[in-house]
Amino acid sequence: MKKELHFERAEFAARVAAVKSEMGRRGIDILLLSEPANHNYLTGYNAYSFYTPQMVIVALNHDEPIWIGRFMDRISALMTTYLTDENIRAYSDRYVQSALSPYDFVADVAKELGGEKARIGVEMGGYYYSARAHADLVRALPLAQFVDADVLVNWIRIVKSPAEISIMRQAGRIADAMMERAIDTIEPGVRECDVAAAVYHQMMSGTPEFGGAYACTPPYLCIGERQIAPHAAWTDEPLPASTTINLELFGNRHRYQVNLSRSISVGKPASSYYKLADVVVEALNAGLESVRPGRTCSEVEDAFRHTLARHGFEKEARLGYSIGVGFPPAVGERTASLRKGDQTLLRPGMVFHMMPGLWLDDVGITITQSFAVTDRGHEPLTSTPRKLFVK
Amino acid sequence: MKKELHFERAEFAARVAAVKSEMGRRGIDILLLSEPANHNYLTGYNAYSFYTPQMVIVALNHDEPIWIGRFMDRISALMTTYLTDENIRAYSDRYVQSALSPYDFVADVAKELGGEKARIGVEMGGYYYSARAHADLVRALPLAQFVDADVLVNWIRIVKSPAEISIMRQAGRIADAMMERAIDTIEPGVRECDVAAAVYHQMMSGTPEFGGAYACTPPYLCIGERQIAPHAAWTDEPLPASTTINLELFGNRHRYQVNLSRSISVGKPASSYYKLADVVVEALNAGLESVRPGRTCSEVEDAFRHTLARHGFEKEARLGYSIGVGFPPAVGERTASLRKGDQTLLRPGMVFHMMPGLWLDDVGITITQSFAVTDRGHEPLTSTPRKLFVK
């Protein structure tokens, strides 16, 4: 069976070692990871199977991580991870949506590794760690000590390796191709759903050299009066002769995602809208130019905010967030944000989506930039010009 | 602002009344709903915003449900729900990924409605009700009594109204168009990612009369040796001159999803593979013909299994599950399954995806049918022929 691994074994080993080191520091014997991005990061596992219970266990006394999932996904574990057979543990269909809990199965593996009284880390705030998952585990392991280890792995993921940055550059090229395709497609009379169709086609087709993958969220096509509803669904309506569109698109390569937003005016926009675009680009560039290792996220946001304020504007939402490997429902790593007060120090290999959306009463504009922190500053991961597009 | 409601107000009112009636029966004062499909079902809300905490509260002493979400998604609530302003409660960005918990905000609304000592239902097993969400609510409402009301609304959703069935027929037509497009696209030398691209394009483009929406999972393109890995990701590889492909596709209209799987042989298949297809179709038809109101899910599975057994085959996974409105990560309602022992009585308006996949050592075949239970039997929701396709 052909293995589909996108990183060297040594890189996976270094990731697992970093996690174990942090576990040791916190006195955690066994780490139960529910977040699919963490499964992928530590083992390579890639399948859309996490909607049934799935865990990766890292134990201080066990060399490799252990993957636990549904019986029919065992083949995906064999194909996409480096794990040896004994570290791939699949539960049978009897556990799926029935009275039995797959977490009993997980608890048995935890006991096998660490006994009844282990100190167990869990991801309390993870999307795939439900209140019931936790209750079932606590019931099955009454003598264990549970501690919240949410985002423990995410904070290790925040600094990307050269191999990861290389994949994210490909994701960025896909995002550029998607934006170009969207701008080509947008015309008065074209249905909104057909713009979405073109964008999705390009997301998967990628480039002639490499294909793409599904992103962590749908693309956001905020058109006309729905411009001010950033997560709205598109409709069947044809585009009018004159409107404004905010597009947020996501290139995805091997589960690594790069975000890209632009505003597009159909028909000539008001001069005040051009002016708004100029302000956003100026503030975005000020933010980007302030990026360098050793600065804090808060300092970068400050550079942006000061420029914005000079023009009489302010932005309520945070300016950006760390991105990387992800699965639905969201790519955000839930670690550092580019926002006032975030004291995270920038380090080479960190990747952020800086997204200055400016929303006035009934129009909005969004011109964004995903970038990697480098030794001396930043590297943009997309090359779409930072400007308002007019069709 | 244009409202985007796809059902009559009276239909929403009947849904809320059914939920309140069940709450009354169980002695629940306040129901905190975390599942996005339940938000949509009871209020119409439709935006991809549930990756930050979002709740709909139904209280016995309050007429309308109350939507709680992030400040920037308030506009989507105004646009896509019938709720009055006072029942749309948005929390500020200060609560997003910070030390504050949005569940404190939720708890305050719960207290306003039901006081400190209410009996509160929560969805313990929901995808968007994390262990932390529950812990935060329990901390903020120390005198309240929490009860597990998981899938309470889902069991009401299981019987679809004529208006819902009508939307699901449209979703079925989109699924048919997607399958046709996939079969047209599949040729030796075409990259797997380009097959995915064509399928996605059709999913959103829909038909000339109506467009589509993103499904609850990516389409599954299980090609060659990955045929036996049902949730694998596609690759960049070109299709070989001879292979077999299992496609699971999802048409989606206004968040209602209809599933459709077919096997496609590139090049002439072995006669044993044709034979396997015949067996699956015969058993599928036997299952479908056994559907009528008053029968149990288990009896339908039995009709299928007996036919399969006559040919010497058996299937480990369940035969199907209830489908309807949904959001990522999965469309399954977590209610009735077509499986041995499920005593759910079939009723007109229920909708299932019957999916007899047969997996031998290294090949699999999957020919499925989504259907609605009618007064006398079943109505297929897709019209793609039930057969093995050969290109």
Side-chain angles (χ1 to χ4, degrees), chain B residues 74-120:
Chain B
R74 190 173 166 277
I75 305 286
S76 282
L78 289 169
M79 285 182 167
T80 64
T81 77
Y82 59 85
L83 302 176
T84 53
D85 263 25
E86 60 151 14
N87 293 322
I88 295 172
R89 310 283 186 96
Y91 58 84
S92 79
D93 198 52
R94 293 183 302 122
Y95 290 94
V96 179
Q97 290 185 20
S98 74
L100 285 167
S101 167
Y103 296 102
D104 292 333
F105 188 94
V106 173
D108 285 342
V109 179
K111 265 186 281 193
E112 172 194 322
L113 291 165
E116 305 265 351
K117 296 181 179 178
R119 195 168 143 93
I120 297 179

Side-chain angles (χ1 to χ4, degrees), chain B residues 38-362:
Chain B
N38 292 337
H39 301 177
N40 180 277
Y41 185 71
L42 295 178
T43 73
Y45 186 79
N46 182 13
Y48 195 101
S49 54
F50 43 81
Y51 61 89
T52 46
Q54 181 177 294
M55 285 268 183
V56 163
I57 302 186
V58 180
L60 280 189
N61 67 357
H62 196 78
D63 184 25
E64 285 186 353
I66 293 177
W67 178 92
I68 297 177
R70 193 177 176 194
F71 70 99
M72 62 171 64
D73 298 313
R74 190 173 166 277
I75 305 286
S76 282
L78 289 169
M79 285 182 167
T80 64
T81 77
Y82 59 85
L83 302 176
T84 53
D85 263 25
E86 60 151 14
N87 293 322
I88 295 172
R89 310 283 186 96
Y91 58 84
S92 79
D93 198 52
R94 293 183 302 122
Y95 290 94
V96 179
Q97 290 185 20
S98 74
L100 285 167
S101 167
Y103 296 102
D104 292 333
F105 188 94
V106 173
D108 285 342
V109 179
K111 265 186 281 193
E112 172 194 322
L113 291 165
E116 305 265 351
K117 296 181 179 178
R119 195 168 143 93
I120 297 179
V122 292
E123 298 176 300
M124 290 292 284
Y127 290 116
Y128 297 101
Y129 193 62
S130 68
R132 178 173 302 144
H134 189 60
D136 284 357
L137 284 170
V138 167
R139 182 183 38 71
L141 295 163
L143 302 178
Q145 185 189 351
F146 285 86
V147 296
D148 189 359
D150 200 21
V151 299
L152 183 155
V153 177
N154 307 34
W155 276 107
I156 291 167
R157 274 165 38 202
I158 196 172
V159 175
K160 276 75 184 170
S161 71
E164 289 180 289
I165 296 286
S166 169
I167 288 175
M168 292 191 81
R169 285 191 195 107
Q170 294 184 332
R173 281 181 58 197
I174 294 172
D176 283 328
M178 289 167 69
M179 188 59 76
E180 191 181 342
R181 177 84 175 269
I183 294 169
D184 282 352
T185 306
I186 286 169
E187 294 287 351
V190 173
R191 297 184 304 173
E192 295 183 15
C193 59
D194 291 323
V195 178
V199 163
Y200 269 104
H201 188 277
Q202 200 68 51
M203 186 188 326
M204 309 312 163
S205 192
T207 74
E209 294 81 41
F210 48 83
Y214 59 87
C216 301
T217 65
Y220 297 119
L221 281 67
C222 301
I223 297 173
E225 69 172 2
R226 274 175 299 108
Q227 254 211 340
I228 52 170
H231 305 118
W234 54 83
T235 73
D236 304 348
E237 293 298 309
L239 297 177
S242 172
T243 191
T244 49
I245 304 177
N246 287 340
L247 281 182
E248 185 170 5
L249 307 180
F250 312 98
N252 197 295
R253 175 71 173 157
H254 298 324
R255 305 305 328 138
Y256 284 80
Q257 182 166 311
V258 167
N259 299 18
L260 173 63
S261 299
R262 288 292 180 272
S263 294
I264 296 145
S265 176
V266 181
K268 198 173 152 55
S271 64
S272 60
Y273 197 64
Y274 269 118
K275 181 74 190 346
L276 198 61
D278 288 344
V279 170
V280 166
V281 171
E282 185 187 335
L284 173 63
N285 288 338
L288 288 169
E289 282 152 26
S290 76
V291 169
R292 54 184 50 88
R295 291 238 168 107
T296 65
C297 287
S298 188
E299 286 169 324
V300 170
E301 199 270 349
D302 202 57
F304 167 82
R305 191 161 34 82
H306 267 78
T307 308
L308 213 56
R310 242 193 351 256
H311 295 282
F313 292 102
E314 56 182 281
K315 174 177 168 30
E316 182 182 3
R318 62 191 168 150
L319 176 61
Y321 43 84
S322 180
I323 55 175
V325 66
F327 286 83
V331 73
E333 292 187 332
R334 300 187 294 127
T335 52
S337 290
L338 301 176
R339 66 163 20 137
K340 196 178 169 70
D342 189 316
Q343 298 302 323
T344 308
L345 289 174
L346 298 181
R347 292 160 61 191
M350 288 183 174
V351 177
F352 291 92
H353 182 218
M354 189 182 286
M355 48 173 315
L358 261 196
W359 311 95
L360 300 185
D361 284 350
D362 58 352

Side-chain angles (χ1 to χ4, degrees), chain A residues 2 48 51 73 96 124 127 129 131-132 148 191 194 205 207 212 216 218 225 231 234 236 253 339, chain B residues 2 48 51 73 96 124 127 129 131-132 148 191 194 205 207 212 216 218 225-226 231 234 236 253 339:
Chain A
K2 203 169 113 193
Y48 196 100
Y51 61 89
D73 298 314
V96 179
M124 290 291 285
Y127 291 116
Y129 193 63
R132 179 173 302 144
D148 189 358
R191 298 183 305 173
D194 291 322
S205 192
T207 74
C216 301
E225 69 173 1
H231 305 118
W234 53 84
D236 303 349
R253 174 71 173 157
R339 67 164 17 138
Chain B
K2 203 169 113 194
Y48 195 101
Y51 61 89
D73 298 313
V96 179
M124 290 292 284
Y127 290 116
Y129 193 62
R132 178 173 302 144
D148 189 359
R191 297 184 304 173
D194 291 323
S205 192
T207 74
C216 301
E225 69 172 2
R226 274 175 299 108
H231 305 118
W234 54 83
D236 304 348
R253 175 71 173 157
R339 66 163 20 137

